[in-house]
Amino acid sequence: MPASPPSAAPARPPVGIGWRQPHYEALLDQRPDLDFIEVHSENFFADGGATLAVLDAGRAAYPVSLHGVGLGLGSATGLDDWHLQRLVRLADRVQPRWVSDHACFARVGSGLHAADLLPIPFTDESLDLLVRHVDQVQQALGRRMLVENISAYVGWSGDTLAEPEFFNALTQRSGCGLLLDVNNLFVNARNAGLGPVAAAQQAMRWVDAIRPGSVGEIHLAGHCERPDGLVIDDHGSRVRDEVWQVYAHAIGRLGPVPTLIEWDTAVPDLDVLLAEAGRARSLLA
């Protein structure tokens, strides 16, 4: 009997970093061991120029994920056609591994943009609106998108759905995936008055309520605590130990989900981000 061919080694779970301007040159020079890089879509909407040339070089070295901050998927005034057209054009050029944005609103009135990720109410009406807008984006892109849970510093008094229930319904009805930001879960729990240990436990319960198979990517980042006690999702430091604990719980329940390290303020040397990515890879392994 002929010998069976050796089985292929299982592909390792993808781990990447957010690629920001201070690291453009270093990443292209060093070509570190990463599975993908993620950029903010809106930074590359311009026609031509140096930024698109850099993105093309990055794409030649790594798979790229496009992460948006400006669609305002939950905006009652509707989506900005220009913004969506630019996103479609960029996705056609880059052929990204994932396209994502946030479950928030940003546009009000006759096109005023808040330039922030403002929280949406968790109600049936808000869910219907978000499903319509996610469908609109997915049809324009011709692909599935991921929608991220946000850190919110205010809420709505009329919520009728628990946040995980809201996202379960969104992913089921629209076919989109969830971009699970573990740090945001912890930040929101801390701002609800919980201490670090209780906040981590609350975040784990949130993860336990999510429908398995719906999570397409996980984000990890640092946060800071102000003197007045408010915890800010500033993406300006290493991932906290409690957030790593929530992450370990998440991958234990959800499986080896592709994971990204975000760092957007007080950006350190590239090696610091690579060390954080290495820690995520160790947990995934």
Side-chain angles (χ1 to χ4, degrees), residues 20 222 224 233-238 262-268 273:
R20 306 299 181 248
C224 68
D233 174 42
D234 66 347
H235 299 182
S237 58
R238 291 181 183 270
E262 290 187 292
W263 204 311
D264 295 307
T265 63
V267 178
L273 271 75

Side-chain angles (χ1 to χ4, degrees), residues 245-262:
Q245 292 168 16
V246 179
Y247 173 66
H249 178 83
I251 59 176
R253 180 174 186 273
L254 303 171
V257 179
T259 299
L260 182 98
I261 302 296
E262 290 187 292

Side-chain angles (χ1 to χ4, degrees), residues 7-118:
S7 58
R12 69 180 188 183
V15 175
I17 63 170
W19 192 32
R20 306 299 181 248
Q21 189 277 330
H23 296 148
Y24 284 174
E25 184 175 358
L27 183 127
L28 293 174
D29 286 346
Q30 298 176 27
R31 302 293 176 94
D33 183 21
L34 294 167
D35 301 299
F36 69 104
I37 54 176
E38 190 165 89
V39 298
H40 286 155
S41 307
E42 291 81 4
N43 290 341
F44 302 92
F45 278 2
D47 295 316
T51 54
L52 271 182
V54 166
L55 182 57
D56 287 341
R59 177 176 174 263
Y62 300 96
V64 171
S65 176
L66 296 178
H67 185 53
V69 296
L71 267 175
L73 290 167
S75 302
T77 192
L79 301 181
D80 184 306
D81 288 337
W82 179 89
H83 191 291
L84 181 54
Q85 290 167 9
R86 290 281 164 157
L87 177 60
V88 170
R89 188 178 68 167
L90 181 63
D92 287 344
R93 178 187 185 110
V94 173
Q95 292 299 304
R97 180 166 289 187
W98 300 283
V99 177
S100 58
D101 210 298
H102 300 77
C104 68
F105 80 93
R107 301 182 70 239
V108 295
S110 59
L112 178 66
H113 200 289
D116 206 344
L117 308 177
L118 302 176

Side-chain angles (χ1 to χ4, degrees), residues 38 50 71 132 135 148 184 189 233 239 247 254 271:
E38 190 165 89
L71 267 175
R132 289 198 302 272
D135 283 343
E148 180 180 339
N184 289 350
D233 174 42
V239 179
Y247 173 66
L254 303 171
D271 287 346

Side-chain angles (χ1 to χ4, degrees), residues 43-278:
N43 290 341
F44 302 92
F45 278 2
D47 295 316
T51 54
L52 271 182
V54 166
L55 182 57
D56 287 341
R59 177 176 174 263
Y62 300 96
V64 171
S65 176
L66 296 178
H67 185 53
V69 296
L71 267 175
L73 290 167
S75 302
T77 192
L79 301 181
D80 184 306
D81 288 337
W82 179 89
H83 191 291
L84 181 54
Q85 290 167 9
R86 290 281 164 157
L87 177 60
V88 170
R89 188 178 68 167
L90 181 63
D92 287 344
R93 178 187 185 110
V94 173
Q95 292 299 304
R97 180 166 289 187
W98 300 283
V99 177
S100 58
D101 210 298
H102 300 77
C104 68
F105 80 93
R107 301 182 70 239
V108 295
S110 59
L112 178 66
H113 200 289
D116 206 344
L117 308 177
L118 302 176
I120 56 176
F122 297 122
T123 63
D124 290 328
E125 181 181 13
S126 179
L127 176 61
D128 290 343
L129 177 72
L130 196 59
V131 168
R132 289 198 302 272
H133 288 165
V134 169
D135 283 343
Q136 180 182 347
V137 175
Q138 291 183 144
Q139 289 177 20
L141 289 169
R143 64 165 66 222
R144 178 183 188 236
M145 75 175 302
L146 305 178
V147 180
E148 180 180 339
N149 58 295
I150 69 167
S151 55
Y153 306 101
V154 294
W156 295 83
S157 60
D159 287 354
T160 57
L161 298 170
E163 189 176 9
E165 180 185 6
F166 183 93
F167 279 102
N168 283 339
L170 173 67
T171 57
Q172 285 180 308
R173 289 177 53 185
S174 71
C176 76
L178 173 62
L179 198 171
L180 177 62
D181 191 308
V182 174
N183 186 61
N184 289 350
L185 300 182
F186 183 80
V187 166
N188 290 347
R190 291 284 283 118
N191 286 329
L194 299 179
V197 174
Q201 293 170 342
Q202 170 80 357
M204 291 177 192
R205 288 191 291 271
W206 200 106
V207 171
D208 289 342
I210 283 296
R211 185 169 58 90
S214 64
V215 179
E217 185 183 348
I218 291 177
H219 274 185
L220 292 166
H223 60 264
C224 68
E225 184 170 351
R226 298 194 328 190
D228 63 2
L230 185 66
V231 180
I232 302 294
D233 174 42
D234 66 347
H235 299 182
S237 58
R238 291 181 183 270
V239 179
R240 301 295 180 95
D241 286 343
E242 295 87 358
V243 176
W244 282 118
Q245 292 168 16
V246 179
Y247 173 66
H249 178 83
I251 59 176
R253 180 174 186 273
L254 303 171
V257 179
T259 299
L260 182 98
I261 302 296
E262 290 187 292
W263 204 311
D264 295 307
T265 63
V267 178
D269 290 341
L270 179 60
D271 287 346
V272 177
L273 271 75
L274 298 178
E276 295 287 272

